[in-house]
Coordinates of all heavy atoms in Angstrom, one line a residue:
P10 N 33.8 -65.9 -23.0 CA 33.0 -66.5 -24.1 C 32.0 -67.5 -23.6 O 32.2 -68.2 -22.6 CB 34.0 -67.2 -24.9 CG 35.3 -66.6 -24.5 CD 35.2 -66.2 -23.1
L11 N 30.8 -67.5 -24.2 CA 29.8 -68.4 -23.9 C 29.6 -69.3 -25.1 O 29.2 -68.8 -26.2 CB 28.5 -67.6 -23.6 CG 27.2 -68.5 -23.3 CD1 27.4 -69.3 -22.1 CD2 26.0 -67.6 -23.3
E12 N 29.8 -70.6 -24.9 CA 29.6 -71.5 -26.0 C 28.1 -71.8 -26.2 O 27.4 -71.9 -25.2 CB 30.3 -72.8 -25.8 CG 30.4 -73.7 -27.0 CD 31.4 -74.8 -26.7 OE1 32.5 -74.6 -26.2 OE2 31.0 -76.0 -27.0
F13 N 27.6 -71.9 -27.5 CA 26.2 -72.2 -27.7 C 26.1 -73.1 -28.9 O 27.0 -73.2 -29.7 CB 25.4 -70.9 -28.0 CG 25.8 -70.2 -29.2 CD1 25.1 -70.4 -30.4 CD2 26.8 -69.3 -29.3 CE1 25.5 -69.8 -31.6 CE2 27.2 -68.6 -30.4 CZ 26.5 -68.9 -31.6
T14 N 25.0 -73.8 -29.0 CA 24.7 -74.6 -30.1 C 23.2 -74.4 -30.5 O 22.4 -74.0 -29.7 CB 24.8 -76.1 -29.8 OG1 24.0 -76.5 -28.7 CG2 26.3 -76.5 -29.5
L15 N 23.0 -74.5 -31.8 CA 21.6 -74.4 -32.3 C 21.3 -75.8 -33.0 O 22.1 -76.3 -33.7 CB 21.5 -73.3 -33.3 CG 21.8 -71.9 -32.8 CD1 21.9 -70.9 -34.0 CD2 20.8 -71.4 -31.8
S16 N 20.1 -76.3 -32.7 CA 19.7 -77.5 -33.3 C 18.2 -77.5 -33.7 O 17.4 -76.8 -33.1 CB 20.0 -78.7 -32.3 OG 19.2 -78.6 -31.2
A17 N 17.9 -78.3 -34.7 CA 16.6 -78.3 -35.2 C 16.0 -79.7 -34.7 O 16.7 -80.7 -34.7 CB 16.5 -78.3 -36.7
P18 N 14.7 -79.7 -34.3 CA 13.8 -78.6 -34.3 C 13.7 -77.8 -33.0 O 13.0 -76.8 -32.9 CB 12.4 -79.3 -34.6 CG 12.6 -80.6 -33.9 CD 14.1 -81.0 -34.1
R19 N 14.5 -78.2 -32.0 CA 14.4 -77.7 -30.7 C 14.5 -76.1 -30.6 O 13.8 -75.5 -29.9 CB 15.5 -78.3 -29.8 CG 15.4 -77.9 -28.3 CD 16.6 -78.3 -27.5 NE 17.8 -77.5 -27.9 CZ 19.0 -77.8 -27.7 NH1 19.3 -78.9 -27.1 NH2 20.0 -77.0 -28.1
D20 N 15.4 -75.5 -31.4 CA 15.7 -74.1 -31.3 C 15.0 -73.3 -32.4 O 15.4 -72.1 -32.6 CB 17.2 -73.9 -31.3 CG 17.9 -74.5 -30.1 OD1 17.4 -74.3 -29.0 OD2 19.0 -75.1 -30.3
L21 N 14.1 -73.9 -33.1 CA 13.4 -73.2 -34.2 C 12.1 -72.5 -33.7 O 11.4 -73.1 -32.9 CB 13.1 -74.1 -35.3 CG 14.3 -74.8 -36.0 CD1 13.8 -75.8 -37.0 CD2 15.2 -73.7 -36.6
T22 N 11.8 -71.4 -34.3 CA 10.4 -70.8 -34.1 C 9.4 -71.6 -34.9 O 9.8 -72.3 -35.8 CB 10.4 -69.3 -34.5 OG1 10.7 -69.2 -35.9 CG2 11.4 -68.5 -33.7
V23 N 8.2 -71.4 -34.7 CA 7.1 -72.0 -35.5 C 7.3 -71.6 -37.0 O 7.3 -72.5 -37.9 CB 5.7 -71.6 -35.0 CG1 4.7 -72.2 -35.9 CG2 5.5 -72.2 -33.6
E24 N 7.6 -70.4 -37.2 CA 7.8 -69.9 -38.6 C 9.0 -70.5 -39.2 O 9.1 -70.8 -40.4 CB 7.9 -68.4 -38.6 CG 6.8 -67.6 -38.1 CD 6.8 -67.4 -36.6 OE1 7.7 -67.9 -35.9 OE2 5.8 -66.8 -36.1
G25 N 10.1 -70.8 -38.4 CA 11.3 -71.3 -39.0 C 11.3 -72.8 -39.2 O 12.3 -73.3 -39.7
S26 N 10.3 -73.5 -38.6 CA 10.4 -74.9 -38.6 C 9.7 -75.6 -39.8 O 9.4 -76.8 -39.8 CB 9.8 -75.5 -37.3 OG 8.5 -75.1 -37.2
A27 N 9.4 -74.8 -40.8 CA 8.7 -75.4 -42.0 C 9.6 -76.5 -42.7 O 10.8 -76.2 -43.0 CB 8.3 -74.3 -43.0
V28 N 9.1 -77.6 -42.9 CA 9.9 -78.7 -43.5 C 9.5 -78.8 -45.0 O 8.3 -78.7 -45.3 CB 9.6 -80.1 -42.8 CG1 10.2 -81.2 -43.5 CG2 10.0 -80.0 -41.4
V29 N 10.5 -78.9 -45.9 CA 10.2 -79.0 -47.3 C 10.4 -80.4 -47.9 O 10.4 -80.6 -49.1 CB 11.1 -78.0 -48.1 CG1 10.7 -76.5 -47.7 CG2 12.5 -78.2 -47.9
G30 N 10.7 -81.3 -47.0 CA 10.9 -82.7 -47.5 C 11.7 -83.5 -46.5 O 12.1 -83.0 -45.5
T31 N 11.9 -84.7 -46.9 CA 12.7 -85.6 -46.0 C 13.8 -86.3 -46.8 O 13.6 -86.7 -48.0 CB 11.8 -86.7 -45.4 OG1 10.8 -86.1 -44.7 CG2 12.6 -87.6 -44.5
N32 N 15.0 -86.3 -46.3 CA 16.1 -87.0 -47.0 C 15.9 -88.5 -46.9 O 15.8 -89.1 -45.8 CB 17.4 -86.6 -46.3 CG 18.6 -87.2 -47.0 OD1 18.6 -88.3 -47.5 ND2 19.7 -86.4 -47.0
E33 N 15.7 -89.1 -48.0 CA 15.4 -90.6 -48.0 C 16.5 -91.4 -47.4 O 16.3 -92.5 -46.9 CB 15.1 -91.0 -49.5 CG 13.9 -90.4 -50.1 CD 13.7 -90.8 -51.5 OE1 14.4 -91.6 -52.0 OE2 12.8 -90.2 -52.1
N34 N 17.8 -91.0 -47.6 CA 18.9 -91.8 -47.1 C 19.0 -91.8 -45.6 O 19.4 -92.8 -44.9 CB 20.2 -91.3 -47.7 CG 20.2 -91.5 -49.2 OD1 19.7 -92.5 -49.7 ND2 20.9 -90.7 -49.9
S35 N 18.7 -90.6 -44.9 CA 18.9 -90.5 -43.5 C 17.6 -90.4 -42.7 O 17.6 -90.3 -41.5 CB 19.8 -89.4 -43.2 OG 19.2 -88.1 -43.5
N36 N 16.5 -90.3 -43.5 CA 15.2 -90.0 -42.8 C 15.2 -88.8 -42.0 O 14.5 -88.7 -41.0 CB 14.7 -91.2 -42.0 CG 13.2 -91.3 -41.9 OD1 12.5 -90.7 -42.7 ND2 12.7 -91.9 -40.8
K37 N 16.0 -87.8 -42.4 CA 16.1 -86.5 -41.7 C 15.3 -85.4 -42.4 O 15.2 -85.4 -43.7 CB 17.6 -86.1 -41.7 CG 17.9 -84.8 -41.1 CD 19.4 -84.5 -41.2 CE 19.7 -83.0 -40.9 NZ 19.8 -82.2 -42.1
N38 N 14.6 -84.6 -41.7 CA 13.9 -83.5 -42.3 C 14.8 -82.5 -43.0 O 15.9 -82.2 -42.5 CB 13.1 -82.7 -41.2 CG 11.9 -83.5 -40.7 OD1 11.4 -84.4 -41.3 ND2 11.5 -83.2 -39.5
N39 N 14.3 -82.0 -44.1 CA 15.0 -80.9 -44.8 C 14.2 -79.6 -44.5 O 13.0 -79.5 -44.8 CB 15.0 -81.2 -46.3 CG 15.8 -82.4 -46.7 OD1 16.9 -82.6 -46.1 ND2 15.4 -83.1 -47.7
Y40 N 14.9 -78.6 -44.0 CA 14.2 -77.4 -43.6 C 14.5 -76.4 -44.7 O 15.4 -76.4 -45.5 CB 14.8 -76.8 -42.3 CG 14.4 -77.7 -41.1 CD1 15.3 -78.7 -40.7 CD2 13.2 -77.6 -40.5 CE1 15.0 -79.5 -39.6 CE2 12.8 -78.5 -39.5 CZ 13.7 -79.4 -39.0 OH 13.4 -80.2 -38.0
W41 N 13.6 -75.4 -44.8 CA 13.6 -74.4 -45.9 C 14.9 -73.6 -46.0 O 15.3 -73.1 -47.0 CB 12.4 -73.5 -45.8 CG 12.4 -72.6 -44.6 CD1 11.8 -72.9 -43.4 CD2 13.0 -71.4 -44.4 NE1 12.1 -71.9 -42.5 CE2 12.8 -70.9 -43.1 CE3 13.7 -70.5 -45.3 CZ2 13.3 -69.7 -42.6 CZ3 14.2 -69.3 -44.8 CH2 14.0 -68.9 -43.5
F42 N 15.6 -73.4 -44.8 CA 16.7 -72.6 -44.8 C 18.0 -73.3 -45.0 O 19.1 -72.6 -45.1 CB 16.8 -71.9 -43.4 CG 16.8 -72.9 -42.2 CD1 17.9 -73.6 -41.9 CD2 15.6 -73.1 -41.6 CE1 17.8 -74.5 -40.8 CE2 15.5 -74.0 -40.5 CZ 16.7 -74.7 -40.1
E43 N 18.0 -74.6 -45.2 CA 19.3 -75.3 -45.5 C 19.9 -74.8 -46.8 O 19.3 -74.6 -47.8 CB 19.0 -76.8 -45.5 CG 18.6 -77.3 -44.1 CD 18.5 -78.8 -44.1 OE1 19.5 -79.5 -44.5 OE2 17.4 -79.3 -43.7
G44 N 21.2 -74.6 -46.7 CA 22.0 -74.2 -47.9 C 22.0 -72.7 -48.0 O 22.6 -72.1 -49.0
L45 N 21.3 -71.9 -47.1 CA 21.3 -70.5 -47.2 C 22.2 -69.9 -46.1 O 22.5 -70.5 -45.1 CB 19.8 -70.0 -46.9 CG 18.8 -70.4 -47.9 CD1 17.4 -69.9 -47.5 CD2 19.1 -69.9 -49.3
D46 N 22.6 -68.6 -46.3 CA 23.3 -67.9 -45.3 C 22.4 -67.6 -44.1 O 21.2 -67.4 -44.3 CB 23.9 -66.6 -45.9 CG 25.0 -66.9 -47.0 OD1 25.4 -68.0 -47.1 OD2 25.3 -65.9 -47.7
W47 N 23.0 -67.5 -42.9 CA 22.2 -67.2 -41.7 C 22.7 -65.9 -41.1 O 23.9 -65.6 -41.1 CB 22.4 -68.3 -40.7 CG 21.8 -69.6 -41.0 CD1 21.1 -70.0 -42.2 CD2 22.0 -70.8 -40.3 NE1 20.8 -71.3 -42.1 CE2 21.3 -71.8 -41.0 CE3 22.6 -71.1 -39.1 CZ2 21.3 -73.1 -40.5 CZ3 22.5 -72.4 -38.6 CH2 21.9 -73.4 -39.3
I48 N 21.8 -65.2 -40.5 CA 22.2 -64.0 -39.6 C 21.8 -64.5 -38.2 O 20.6 -64.8 -38.0 CB 21.4 -62.7 -40.0 CG1 21.8 -62.3 -41.4 CG2 21.8 -61.6 -39.0 CD1 21.0 -61.2 -41.9
I49 N 22.8 -64.5 -37.3 CA 22.5 -65.0 -35.9 C 22.7 -63.7 -35.1 O 23.7 -63.1 -35.1 CB 23.5 -66.1 -35.5 CG1 23.4 -67.3 -36.4 CG2 23.2 -66.5 -34.1 CD1 24.4 -68.3 -36.2
S50 N 21.6 -63.4 -34.3 CA 21.6 -62.3 -33.4 C 21.5 -62.8 -32.0 O 20.9 -63.8 -31.7 CB 20.3 -61.4 -33.7 OG 20.3 -61.0 -35.0
A51 N 22.1 -62.0 -31.1 CA 22.1 -62.3 -29.6 C 21.9 -61.0 -28.9 O 22.3 -59.9 -29.3 CB 23.4 -63.0 -29.2
R52 N 21.3 -61.1 -27.7 CA 21.1 -59.9 -26.8 C 21.2 -60.4 -25.4 O 20.6 -61.4 -25.0 CB 19.7 -59.3 -27.0 CG 19.5 -58.1 -26.1 CD 18.2 -57.3 -26.6 NE 17.0 -58.1 -26.5 CZ 16.1 -58.1 -25.5 NH1 16.3 -57.4 -24.5 NH2 15.1 -58.9 -25.6
W53 N 22.0 -59.7 -24.6 CA 22.2 -59.9 -23.2 C 21.3 -58.9 -22.5 O 21.5 -57.7 -22.6 CB 23.6 -59.7 -22.7 CG 23.8 -60.0 -21.3 CD1 23.6 -59.2 -20.2 CD2 24.2 -61.3 -20.7 NE1 23.9 -59.8 -19.1 CE2 24.2 -61.1 -19.3 CE3 24.5 -62.5 -21.3 CZ2 24.6 -62.1 -18.5 CZ3 24.9 -63.5 -20.4 CH2 24.9 -63.3 -19.0
D54 N 20.1 -59.4 -22.0 CA 19.1 -58.5 -21.4 C 19.5 -58.1 -20.0 O 19.5 -59.0 -19.1 CB 17.8 -59.2 -21.5 CG 16.6 -58.3 -21.1 OD1 16.3 -57.4 -21.9 OD2 16.1 -58.5 -20.0
T55 N 19.7 -56.9 -19.7 CA 20.2 -56.4 -18.4 C 19.1 -56.3 -17.4 O 19.4 -56.4 -16.2 CB 20.9 -55.1 -18.5 OG1 20.1 -54.1 -19.1 CG2 22.2 -55.3 -19.4
D56 N 17.8 -56.1 -17.7 CA 16.8 -56.0 -16.7 C 16.1 -57.3 -16.5 O 15.2 -57.4 -15.6 CB 15.8 -54.9 -17.0 CG 15.0 -55.1 -18.2 OD1 15.0 -56.2 -18.8 OD2 14.2 -54.3 -18.6
G57 N 16.4 -58.4 -17.2 CA 15.7 -59.7 -17.0 C 14.4 -59.8 -17.6 O 13.7 -60.9 -17.4
V58 N 13.9 -58.8 -18.3 CA 12.6 -58.9 -19.0 C 12.8 -58.9 -20.5 O 13.1 -57.8 -21.0 CB 11.7 -57.7 -18.5 CG1 10.3 -57.8 -19.2 CG2 11.5 -57.7 -17.0
A59 N 12.7 -60.0 -21.1 CA 13.1 -60.2 -22.5 C 12.2 -59.3 -23.4 O 12.6 -58.9 -24.5 CB 13.0 -61.6 -22.9
A60 N 11.0 -59.0 -23.0 CA 10.0 -58.2 -23.8 C 10.4 -56.7 -23.9 O 9.9 -56.0 -24.8 CB 8.6 -58.3 -23.3
T61 N 11.3 -56.3 -23.0 CA 11.7 -54.9 -23.1 C 13.1 -54.7 -23.7 O 13.9 -55.6 -23.6 CB 11.7 -54.3 -21.6 OG1 12.7 -55.0 -20.8 CG2 10.3 -54.4 -21.0
R62 N 13.3 -53.5 -24.2 CA 14.7 -53.2 -24.7 C 15.2 -52.0 -23.9 O 14.4 -51.1 -23.6 CB 14.6 -52.7 -26.2 CG 14.0 -53.8 -27.1 CD 15.0 -54.9 -27.4 NE 14.7 -55.7 -28.5 CZ 14.1 -56.9 -28.4 NH1 13.8 -57.4 -27.2 NH2 13.8 -57.6 -29.4
D63 N 16.4 -52.1 -23.5 CA 17.0 -51.1 -22.6 C 18.3 -50.7 -23.2 O 19.0 -51.5 -23.8 CB 17.2 -51.7 -21.2 CG 17.7 -50.7 -20.2 OD1 18.9 -50.5 -20.1 OD2 16.8 -50.1 -19.5
P64 N 18.7 -49.4 -23.1 CA 20.0 -48.9 -23.7 C 21.2 -49.7 -23.1 O 22.3 -49.8 -23.7 CB 20.1 -47.5 -23.3 CG 18.7 -47.0 -23.0 CD 18.0 -48.3 -22.5
S65 N 21.1 -50.3 -21.9 CA 22.2 -51.0 -21.3 C 22.3 -52.5 -21.8 O 23.2 -53.2 -21.5 CB 22.1 -50.9 -19.8 OG 21.0 -51.5 -19.3
D66 N 21.3 -52.9 -22.5 CA 21.3 -54.3 -23.1 C 22.5 -54.4 -24.1 O 22.9 -53.4 -24.8 CB 20.1 -54.6 -23.9 CG 18.9 -54.8 -23.0 OD1 19.0 -54.9 -21.7 OD2 17.8 -54.9 -23.5
L67 N 23.2 -55.5 -24.1 CA 24.3 -55.8 -25.0 C 23.7 -56.6 -26.2 O 23.0 -57.6 -26.0 CB 25.4 -56.6 -24.3 CG 26.0 -55.9 -23.1 CD1 27.0 -56.8 -22.4 CD2 26.6 -54.6 -23.5
V68 N 24.0 -56.1 -27.4 CA 23.5 -56.8 -28.6 C 24.7 -57.0 -29.6 O 25.7 -56.4 -29.6 CB 22.4 -55.9 -29.3 CG1 21.2 -55.8 -28.4 CG2 22.9 -54.6 -29.7
G69 N 24.4 -58.0 -30.4 CA 25.4 -58.3 -31.5 C 24.8 -59.3 -32.5 O 23.8 -59.9 -32.3
R70 N 25.5 -59.4 -33.6 CA 25.1 -60.4 -34.6 C 26.2 -60.7 -35.5 O 27.2 -60.0 -35.6 CB 23.9 -59.8 -35.5 CG 24.2 -58.8 -36.4 CD 23.0 -58.4 -37.2 NE 23.3 -57.4 -38.2 CZ 22.5 -56.9 -39.0 NH1 21.2 -57.2 -38.9 NH2 22.9 -56.0 -39.9
T71 N 26.1 -61.9 -36.2 CA 27.1 -62.3 -37.1 C 26.4 -63.0 -38.3 O 25.2 -63.4 -38.2 CB 28.0 -63.3 -36.4 OG1 29.1 -63.6 -37.3 CG2 27.3 -64.6 -36.1
V72 N 27.1 -63.1 -39.4 CA 26.6 -63.7 -40.6 C 27.4 -65.0 -40.8 O 28.6 -65.0 -40.7 CB 26.7 -62.8 -41.9 CG1 26.3 -63.6 -43.1 CG2 25.9 -61.6 -41.7
Q73 N 26.6 -66.1 -41.0 CA 27.3 -67.4 -41.3 C 26.9 -67.8 -42.7 O 25.7 -67.9 -43.0 CB 26.8 -68.4 -40.3 CG 27.7 -68.8 -39.2 CD 27.3 -70.0 -38.5 OE1 26.2 -70.6 -38.7 NE2 28.1 -70.5 -37.7
T74 N 27.9 -68.0 -43.5 CA 27.5 -68.5 -44.9 C 27.3 -70.0 -44.8 O 27.8 -70.6 -43.8 CB 28.7 -68.2 -45.9 OG1 29.8 -68.9 -45.5 CG2 29.0 -66.7 -45.9
A75 N 26.7 -70.5 -45.7 CA 26.4 -72.0 -45.7 C 27.7 -72.7 -45.7 O 27.8 -73.8 -45.1 CB 25.6 -72.3 -47.0
I76 N 28.8 -72.2 -46.3 CA 30.1 -72.9 -46.3 C 30.8 -72.8 -45.0 O 31.2 -73.7 -44.4 CB 31.0 -72.3 -47.4 CG1 30.3 -72.6 -48.8 CG2 32.4 -72.8 -47.3 CD1 31.0 -71.9 -50.0
S77 N 30.8 -71.6 -44.4 CA 31.5 -71.4 -43.1 C 30.8 -72.1 -41.9 O 31.4 -72.4 -40.9 CB 31.7 -69.9 -42.8 OG 30.4 -69.3 -42.5
R78 N 29.5 -72.3 -42.1 CA 28.7 -72.9 -41.0 C 29.2 -74.3 -40.7 O 29.2 -74.8 -39.6 CB 27.2 -73.0 -41.4 CG 26.3 -73.5 -40.3 CD 24.9 -73.2 -40.6 NE 24.4 -73.5 -41.8 CZ 24.0 -72.6 -42.8 NH1 24.1 -71.3 -42.5 NH2 23.5 -73.0 -43.9
R79 N 29.8 -75.0 -41.7 CA 30.4 -76.3 -41.5 C 31.6 -76.3 -40.6 O 31.9 -77.3 -40.0 CB 30.7 -76.9 -42.8 CG 29.5 -77.1 -43.7 CD 29.9 -77.9 -45.0 NE 28.7 -78.0 -45.8 CZ 28.6 -77.3 -47.0 NH1 29.5 -76.5 -47.4 NH2 27.5 -77.4 -47.7
A80 N 32.2 -75.1 -40.4 CA 33.4 -75.1 -39.5 C 33.0 -75.0 -38.1 O 33.9 -75.2 -37.2 CB 34.2 -73.8 -39.9
D81 N 31.8 -74.8 -37.7 CA 31.3 -74.9 -36.3 C 32.0 -73.8 -35.4 O 32.2 -74.1 -34.2 CB 31.5 -76.2 -35.7 CG 30.3 -77.1 -35.8 OD1 29.3 -76.6 -36.2 OD2 30.4 -78.3 -35.5
D82 N 32.3 -72.7 -35.9 CA 32.9 -71.7 -35.0 C 32.4 -70.3 -35.4 O 33.0 -69.6 -36.3 CB 34.4 -71.7 -35.1 CG 35.0 -71.6 -36.4 OD1 34.2 -71.5 -37.4 OD2 36.2 -71.4 -36.5
S83 N 31.4 -69.8 -34.7 CA 31.0 -68.4 -34.9 C 31.2 -67.7 -33.6 O 31.0 -68.2 -32.5 CB 29.5 -68.4 -35.3 OG 29.3 -68.8 -36.6
M84 N 31.5 -66.4 -33.8 CA 31.6 -65.6 -32.6 C 30.7 -64.3 -32.8 O 30.7 -63.7 -33.8 CB 33.0 -65.1 -32.3 CG 33.2 -64.3 -31.1 SD 34.9 -63.9 -30.7 CE 35.5 -65.4 -30.2
I85 N 29.9 -64.0 -31.7 CA 29.1 -62.9 -31.7 C 29.6 -61.9 -30.6 O 29.6 -62.3 -29.5 CB 27.6 -63.2 -31.5 CG1 27.1 -64.2 -32.5 CG2 26.7 -61.9 -31.4 CD1 25.7 -64.7 -32.2
R86 N 30.1 -60.8 -31.0 CA 30.6 -59.8 -30.1 C 29.4 -58.9 -29.6 O 28.7 -58.3 -30.4 CB 31.6 -58.9 -30.7 CG 32.3 -57.9 -29.8 CD 33.4 -57.2 -30.5 NE 34.1 -56.3 -29.6 CZ 35.1 -56.7 -28.9 NH1 35.6 -57.9 -29.0 NH2 35.7 -55.8 -28.1
L87 N 29.2 -58.9 -28.3 CA 28.1 -58.1 -27.7 C 28.6 -56.8 -27.3 O 29.6 -56.7 -26.6 CB 27.5 -58.9 -26.5 CG 26.8 -60.2 -26.8 CD1 26.3 -60.8 -25.5 CD2 25.7 -60.1 -27.9
E88 N 27.9 -55.7 -27.7 CA 28.4 -54.4 -27.4 C 27.2 -53.6 -26.8 O 26.1 -53.8 -27.2 CB 28.9 -53.7 -28.6 CG 30.2 -54.4 -29.1 CD 30.7 -53.8 -30.4 OE1 30.1 -52.8 -30.9 OE2 31.7 -54.2 -30.9

C-alpha cells in the first residue's frame, strides 16, 4: 500500500481551486467542492510518460462521500 494525502490548495488544479468564500471563524477558504462526494482516480504509469496511456498501466478509482471522507481512510485498488 502507498499512503497518500490530498490538501488544498497544493494538490488542486486551476479549475478545482475556485474559492466561493472564506470561513469568518477560521479565515479558511471555502472551495466549491466542499460537502460534495468525490471520485478519486489513480494511475501507475508503466512507461514513465504521464501523457501516454499504455495497456500495462494500472488504474483504479474510488468514491468518497462527504461523510466517509471524515474517516480519513480510502483505498484505491490498481488493476
Side-chain angles (χ1 to χ4, degrees):
L11 175 69
E12 191 171 314
F13 67 93
T14 59
L15 299 173
S16 64
R19 185 188 74 195
D20 296 317
L21 299 177
T22 62
V23 173
E24 299 86 358
S26 62
V28 174
V29 295
T31 302
N32 184 322
E33 294 176 9
N34 296 328
S35 66
N36 204 25
K37 176 182 168 259
N38 289 336
N39 293 324
Y40 295 96
W41 64 269
F42 54 80
E43 291 187 53
L45 299 175
D46 295 348
W47 295 355
I48 299 173
I49 302 173
S50 301
R52 179 169 59 99
W53 183 275
D54 186 74
T55 57
D56 68 2
V58 180
T61 62
R62 302 285 193 261
D63 187 272
S65 61
D66 290 351
L67 301 175
V68 296
R70 73 178 183 180
T71 188
V72 175
Q73 259 192 351
T74 65
I76 294 170
S77 70
R78 187 165 47 250
R79 294 185 185 111
D81 267 352
D82 58 352
S83 285
M84 182 175 288
I85 303 172
R86 183 178 186 88
L87 299 178
E88 299 177 356

